[in-house]
Amino acid sequence: MNPLHSGSPEPHFDVLVIGAGHAGTEAAHAAARMGARTALATLNPERIGYLSCNPAMGGLAKGQLVKEIDALGGIMGRQTDKCAIQFRRLNTSKGPAVRSSRAQCDKPLYARKMREFIETVPNLSVLGFEVADLVWETANARPRITGVRLRDGSVVKARAVVVTSGTFLRAVMHTGFDQAEGGRVGDEAAKTLSRSIEELGFRLRRLKTGTPPRLDKDSIDWSKTEPQPGDAKPIPFSFYYRGSRFPELPQLNCFITYTNAQTHEIIEKNFDKSPMFTGIIQGVGPRYCPSIEDKVKRFHEKERHQIFLEPEGLDVPEIYVNGMSTSLPRDVQEAFIHSIVGLENAKFLKHGYAVEYDAVDARMLRATLESKDVDGLFFAGQVNGTSGYEEAGAQGLIAGMNAALSVAEKSPFVLSRLDGYIGVLIDDLILKGSDEPYRMFTSRAEHRLHLREDNADLRLSELGYRAGLLSEADYQTFDRKRNAIAKLKSEVEAGNLYPNEATNAWIAGMDLAILKDKTPFSAFLRRPEVSIDLLARIPAGIEGTTPLALAEHSEDVIEQVEIQVKYAGYIQRDLELLEGVRKNESMKIPGDLGYDRVPGLSTEITNRLKETRPETIGQASRLQGVTPAAVANILIYLKMANQKAASL
């Protein structure tokens, strides 16, 4: 039953989530799963979990985020595995620290599966209404959120509100000089919510994102393009969900083509029709995912740009032209698309467009994604200045968990940048803000050898279970895997190869250096050219050596043991470094600390600290312009203040 039609003039929830995109669905599921009576308010319930832009999940560094969401008990990876039409693991020729998973999804199926799932979550109600304003009261000079006001003037009470408005705040779509209100084609803008946010003292900025044309698949000459198949052995995103078969859908190819000199010439001749270059669009776009007109202008020396043609589903005609985001006029889009090999006769199903929207300054948020100044108000997703489904989902998960914990008056759930990519993402946002849409990269994680996608469950599932998000059944699956890894690893560490004639003959037959001394399996496995499956193929009868029994273990267990053994020295060094960083990382800084009273701080550093208000010494040390000497002065001041307080 819709609680707004249940006879109560003012329905009451513990947590109310505004927006049902990737941040909103993760936030609502997490809060409800952790026992909070939760509402998910959306302008259009038909678009719950909709893939607004590209039909893919994951990618470089983004795959790590999806894996971490899943490890904690979130839903993005599970829904992806149900709807994926191609799986690829990227960077497989490189080390495990930078390998990332990516999956093409059936776009309409993903939204349908997500909506079906959300509608079955206990404690969660879906409200198909527009939230017009936030409602709050002030006590002890601090505002506290008490609910929201809908467009019709009715009030829905809530003890915590999570804003996941995506690209919809005062959103305007641009195609050439044509403009229309809306966060994406077919959906309205959230026109008034920005006003409430500003009244509460938040700094807003305008950002911009864009989307490419969609083409009819039957109008493309595929013979002129390069096929890009999926992996022969797909690896799922979820550590826990398994359908009746995996993958559940057939794998389709993506295809590659390229722009050319004619394409670039058409675009250059029409720069004066671009709302980006004529000053109509004021918002800042993503540097690492630029429009095609921006690419042509910034990289004038490049003769061509790679374009990916990606199917949007098994039974839909749309092809997503990845790499061709644009806001140029429709006739210009058609001209430059038709100049590309394979697309000469392509029919347009949708033209590309840019979206300009409001985003908050995330430096005004805590690591829980709650406002530093307004109790009970959380923000997550693109409204915090990020780009991408994965970054949004990660924030939504953390905001939803902490909203539920706050109304239950329990300790917050915080991941530091030492714990996961999610921690890196949030730490970057709340310390540095975002002058442009933020995108995750592996290079942003200082300890990426430890924060791999393959071990996300080993790092985070225990935390998700203790927080009440990961289910008992999934935790038991995790525990069995953890025990299997320990068992196989102990077998590797116990095994040995001996330099006898039979052993060396076998090794020499593979063009490997023979043994001179007794060699543990672990040392042999650390040879670059040796893989763990070789230790299972040791010929029977070699004296003193028993081959590994890998057949009883799953592929993910085998991979994990191989990585842990091969990179043991590097991993241990990283863990020791992590332990040293943690000592000062978590030392708390009082929220009301008067930096003017701290001796030795310059005016510039003092102002920067006042603006951002870091919560820990670790955060203060990472602020741009804050010197090690300034951090030392803050440490000394806090220690002296603590000693003085203890002596009273």
Side-chain angles (χ1 to χ4, degrees):
M1 181 171 58
N2 189 324
L4 295 188
H5 297 157
S6 61
S8 171
E10 292 187 343
H12 189 284
F13 295 94
D14 295 321
V15 176
L16 187 142
V17 179
I18 303 173
H22 305 290
T25 50
E26 290 290 353
H29 167 259
R33 170 78 187 154
M34 293 171 65
R37 186 166 180 250
T38 304
L40 179 61
T42 173
L43 291 165
N44 185 355
E46 296 296 324
R47 297 290 193 115
I48 290 174
Y50 189 71
L51 301 173
S52 298
C53 197
N54 68 306
M57 281 291 179
L60 297 177
K62 293 170 176 280
Q64 279 85 335
L65 289 172
V66 181
K67 291 275 192 176
E68 290 185 356
I69 290 168
D70 185 76
L72 287 165
I75 54 180
M76 180 175 280
R78 299 166 193 244
Q79 302 307 315
T80 298
D81 286 348
K82 295 175 186 177
C83 307
I85 53 179
Q86 188 194 88
F87 290 88
R88 290 187 71 218
R89 182 180 259 189
L90 310 178
N91 280 345
T92 53
S93 62
K94 299 181 180 180
V98 294
R99 294 172 193 161
S100 301
S101 293
R102 186 179 190 272
Q104 293 292 132
C105 293
D106 187 307
K107 185 180 276 191
L109 182 62
Y110 186 96
R112 188 169 79 245
K113 289 287 188 183
M114 183 63 82
R115 181 181 181 184
E116 290 172 356
F117 175 81
I118 287 295
E119 289 176 343
T120 66
V121 175
N123 300 323
L124 178 57
S125 300
V126 176
L127 311 181
F129 299 92
E130 179 185 348
V131 173
D133 298 291
L134 301 172
V135 180
W136 65 90
E137 61 185 24
T138 301
N140 301 320
R142 280 184 66 86
R144 164 166 281 284
I145 287 293
T146 59
V148 299
R149 183 173 290 105
L150 305 180
R151 184 194 286 183
D152 64 5
S154 60
V155 172
V156 180
K157 292 185 177 180
R159 297 171 65 189
V161 170
V162 185
V163 179
T164 68
S165 49
T167 62
F168 283 78
L169 291 183
R170 287 196 290 228
V172 177
M173 298 178 290
H174 300 264
T175 305
F177 298 142
D178 294 339
Q179 297 180 17
E181 292 183 346
R184 63 180 168 230
V185 169
D187 289 301
E188 300 178 48
K191 301 174 186 177
T192 61
L193 188 55
S194 291
R195 181 185 60 224
S196 277
I197 295 170
E198 286 181 312
E199 287 176 4
L200 282 166
F202 280 88
R203 299 184 292 269
L204 297 183
R205 62 190 65 189
R206 294 292 275 178
L207 295 179
K208 169 255 176 190
T209 188
T211 192
R214 273 65 155 185
L215 307 177
D216 188 332
K217 66 181 179 182
D218 292 332
S219 66
I220 295 171
D221 187 345
W222 298 107
S223 67
K224 296 180 180 179
T225 64
E226 304 170 18
Q228 186 186 50
D231 292 339
K233 287 187 175 181
I235 298 173
F237 266 109
S238 179
F239 294 102
Y240 303 113
Y241 169 79
R242 293 293 181 272
S244 56
R245 57 180 290 273
F246 179 82
E248 293 198 5
L249 301 176
Q251 291 209 73
L252 300 184
N253 285 347
C254 294
F255 296 85
I256 296 172
T257 186
Y258 300 87
T259 63
N260 52 56
Q262 184 185 0
T263 314
H264 299 178
E265 182 181 358
I266 294 169
I267 292 170
E268 287 175 336
K269 285 182 176 179
N270 289 281
F271 279 163
D272 60 342
K273 298 177 183 177
S274 166
M276 284 180 55
F277 299 150
T278 54
I280 294 173
I281 293 178
Q282 298 293 313
V284 180
R287 185 192 325 176
Y288 302 105
C289 189
S291 66
I292 187 61
E293 53 264 40
D294 202 21
K295 288 181 189 176
V296 170
K297 188 168 188 176
R298 284 167 51 191
F299 308 107
H300 188 76
E301 72 286 354
K302 291 199 70 169
E303 295 181 356
R304 66 179 191 173
H305 295 283
Q306 193 174 58
I307 304 300
F308 294 92
L309 303 174
E310 302 176 345
E312 295 206 347
L314 291 178
D315 302 313
V316 294
E318 285 92 348
I319 295 296
Y320 181 90
V321 190
N322 197 338
M324 295 292 279
S325 170
T326 183
S327 58
L328 285 166
R330 293 172 181 83
D331 61 330
V332 178
Q333 293 185 36
E334 291 175 13
F336 71 67
I337 284 290
H338 291 153
S339 72
I340 296 171
V341 172
L343 307 183
E344 295 89 347
N345 299 304
K347 294 180 180 179
F348 277 63
L349 298 177
K350 293 178 184 175
H351 289 83
Y353 59 92
V355 182
E356 201 173 9
Y357 58 96
D358 287 344
V360 303
D361 186 343
R363 292 175 296 177
M364 303 180 76
L365 306 178
R366 306 180 193 276
T368 59
L369 296 179
E370 184 179 17
S371 166
K372 291 176 179 175
D373 300 306
V374 184
D375 294 333
L377 180 59
F378 297 76
F379 290 85
Q382 285 186 268
V383 70
N384 284 344
T386 58
S387 67
Y389 309 145
E390 304 83 2
E391 291 89 343
Q395 294 172 71
L397 183 80
I398 297 302
M401 292 177 73
N402 281 299
L405 290 168
S406 71
V407 299
E409 299 182 354
K410 294 182 179 180
S411 299
F413 182 88
V414 173
L415 293 178
S416 77
R417 63 192 306 119
L418 311 180
D419 298 316
Y421 274 76
I422 295 176
V424 173
L425 165 67
I426 293 175
D427 193 64
D428 282 350
L429 288 175
I430 66 175
L431 292 185
K432 302 172 185 176
S434 54
D435 295 329
E436 61 187 48
Y438 176 103
R439 178 177 177 171
M440 178 54 70
F441 293 102
T442 54
S443 58
R444 296 190 191 273
E446 300 90 337
H447 304 287
R448 56 186 174 273
L449 181 57
H450 174 59
L451 308 180
R452 307 183 309 275
E453 73 164 29
D454 61 81
N455 71 353
D457 56 339
L458 300 178
R459 291 185 283 112
L460 299 176
S461 285
E462 186 78 43
L463 299 177
Y465 176 68
R466 290 180 185 174
L469 186 56
L470 190 71
S471 72
E472 180 67 36
D474 289 340
Y475 182 75
Q476 293 303 321
T477 298
F478 161 69
D479 199 42
R480 287 192 294 272
K481 176 182 173 181
R482 182 168 54 180
N483 291 336
I485 290 169
K487 179 176 183 292
L488 180 57
K489 190 176 179 182
S490 68
E491 291 171 1
V492 171
E493 291 171 344
N496 294 289
L497 288 167
Y498 296 88
N500 54 47
E501 184 177 346
T503 300
N504 278 334
W506 172 67
I507 292 174
M510 296 180 288
D511 293 327
L512 300 176
I514 63 172
L515 305 180
K516 295 182 180 179
D517 302 296
K518 172 185 170 183
T519 302
F521 278 3
S522 56
F524 190 66
L525 183 53
R526 289 190 191 107
R527 292 187 181 189
E529 66 274 18
V530 174
S531 60
I532 194 169
D533 67 299
L534 196 61
L535 297 175
R537 301 203 309 267
I538 297 171
I542 288 185
E543 183 181 349
T545 300
T546 302
L548 291 179
L550 296 185
E552 64 184 72
H553 296 288
S554 61
E555 290 186 6
D556 56 341
V557 167
I558 295 169
E559 178 190 53
Q560 191 57 226
V561 171
E562 181 165 18
I563 290 172
Q564 288 186 18
V565 173
K566 264 190 174 296
Y567 297 91
Y570 300 103
I571 292 171
Q572 183 59 36
R573 186 175 64 186
D574 208 37
L575 290 173
E576 290 171 358
L577 180 61
L578 277 168
E579 200 55 41
V581 173
R582 284 186 195 276
K583 291 181 180 178
N584 283 332
E585 171 70 27
S586 58
M587 184 175 180
K588 300 289 185 183
I589 298 177
D592 58 353
L593 176 64
Y595 289 101
D596 294 308
R597 300 194 300 270
V598 179
L601 299 185
S602 68
T603 301
E604 179 186 353
I605 289 176
T606 298
N607 290 338
R608 195 176 295 272
L609 290 163
K610 285 180 178 179
E611 182 180 48
T612 305
R613 287 178 288 167
E615 299 172 74
T616 66
I617 287 294
Q619 289 182 1
S621 69
R622 290 189 293 279
L623 280 175
Q624 186 176 359
V626 175
T627 63
V631 174
N633 287 340
I634 298 170
L635 269 170
I636 293 169
Y637 180 85
L638 291 175
K639 288 177 179 178
M640 291 179 65
N642 290 338
Q643 290 172 359
K644 183 177 180 180
S647 65
L648 295 178

